[in-house]
Amino acid sequence: MDIRVFDGKKKLASFAADLFSEVIKNNARPVLGLATGASPIDTYKELIKRFNAGELSFKNVTTFNLDEYCGLPKNDKNSYYTFMMENLFDHVDIDLKNVNIPDGNAEDPEAYAKEYEEKIKAAGGIDIQLLGIGVNGHIGFNEPTDRFSEGTHVVKLTDSTIEANSRYFTDSEMPRYAVTMGVGSIMAAKKIVLIATGRAKAQAVFETVKGEVTPSCPASILQTHKDAILLLDKAAASLLK
Ligand code: F6R
């Protein structure tokens, strides 16, 4: 695992945007795996800046998002669909036909999850996957458990994740279930970029890097990926050494 520690979020985001720009420029049909949450926001801002400067086009880009809450209307202010439109897709030249965000309201969630997985494969697999990390070590919504998940599936969120994310649900109750790409789907990406900032992530980062590879810290599996890079600020890296 390659680990880089940055002096400030802006430098980190600029480095992450470099990695994504390289894949976008060097592939005829680039496939990006994307995340929501606080961690990727500055990277998306940086990519938008480069698009506005005429340095980058998303015309040929296909995207797959990691996850979505179950039971929220697609346009709810807390849906990951809304997040992605507001933080990236509304601001670049991507063809929305090539944007894939799991549907948290599928009639048959199991069949839908299979279809999502097939779609990733049909697109040629993910060239570069962006990840954040939960305070409990989750990636996507793959929560700590006793075995690594494989493909896209429905999960029950843990109390720790509900506690971390319920701050966004100021006037409605936070969903208890989500649909997420599995650890197997994430590990199939050719390159993985995980962003972690802030002291609250330090323990999870420590376990990811120095701990054993175990499903009780899902991110620890990145130790076994041949091209995974962790981009950290000093606070998130504070327990390493
Ligand atoms: C979001 C996702 C989650 C977040 C993680 C960290 O699509 O998959 O795993 O990356 O919960 O969230 P933030 O960045 O808000 O701290």
Side-chain angles (χ1 to χ4, degrees):
M1 227 173 352
D2 189 359
I3 298 164
R4 308 281 172 105
V5 182
F6 294 86
D7 201 3
K9 284 189 189 176
K10 285 268 152 11
K11 284 186 194 156
L12 189 161
S14 169
F15 187 88
D18 287 347
L19 297 175
F20 276 79
S21 302
E22 206 178 289
V23 170
I24 293 171
K25 286 177 183 166
N26 294 338
N27 286 278
R29 303 212 64 83
V31 181
L32 314 183
L34 299 178
T36 61
S39 305
I41 288 182
D42 287 339
T43 302
Y44 293 152
K45 281 192 181 137
E46 186 60 35
L47 290 171
I48 293 165
K49 208 164 98 190
R50 293 176 191 201
F51 165 72
N52 286 330
E55 295 166 17
L56 204 59
S57 168
F58 289 75
K59 271 211 169 89
N60 298 322
V61 168
T62 296
T63 62
F64 288 91
N65 261 79
L66 281 167
D67 42 17
E68 177 62 283
Y69 290 114
C70 288
L72 275 190
K74 187 174 171 183
N75 290 310
D76 188 277
K77 71 177 171 56
N78 286 311
S79 77
Y80 286 171
Y81 172 83
T82 301
F83 176 98
M84 288 310 300
M85 295 309 291
E86 288 179 351
N87 286 288
L88 184 62
F89 300 141
D90 275 345
H91 309 283
V92 295
D93 61 346
I94 196 159
D95 183 342
L96 290 179
K97 283 202 304 288
N98 298 329
V99 163
N100 300 280
I101 300 174
D103 180 355
N105 294 299
E107 253 178 54
D108 180 347
E110 298 300 321
Y112 176 79
K114 261 201 188 132
E115 255 170 53
Y116 198 73
E117 208 56 41
E118 289 307 317
K119 234 175 160 181
I120 296 175
K121 286 194 188 116
I126 290 171
D127 293 308
I128 183 167
Q129 174 69 55
L130 187 55
L131 296 177
I133 182 170
V135 290
N136 60 4
H138 75 208
I139 46 176
F141 272 134
N142 295 284
E143 303 283 23
T145 175
D146 50 11
R147 67 171 190 92
F148 289 113
S149 62
E150 289 167 14
T152 303
H153 61 291
V154 174
V155 280
K156 188 172 189 327
L157 301 177
T158 61
D159 290 345
S160 146
T161 297
I162 292 167
E163 196 188 315
N165 289 6
S166 56
R167 65 182 189 274
Y168 299 116
F169 291 83
T170 48
D171 43 20
S172 62
E173 185 152 344
M174 185 179 154
R176 293 317 195 232
Y177 289 86
V179 54
T180 182
M181 276 166 54
V183 171
S185 356
I186 293 169
M187 287 296 283
K190 291 169 196 126
K191 184 176 187 72
I192 299 181
V193 181
L194 184 146
I195 295 177
T197 60
R199 184 68 182 80
K201 301 290 174 69
Q203 186 62 35
V205 166
F206 175 80
E207 279 165 32
T208 298
V209 176
K210 303 275 190 194
E212 61 169 320
V213 176
T214 164
S216 60
C217 175
S220 64
I221 199 160
L222 299 180
Q223 290 178 27
T224 68
H225 193 278
K226 64 178 185 346
D227 190 5
I229 180 163
L230 265 56
L231 310 182
L232 312 172
D233 71 352
K234 288 189 168 159
S238 58
L239 298 178
L240 302 177
K241 276 194 189 58

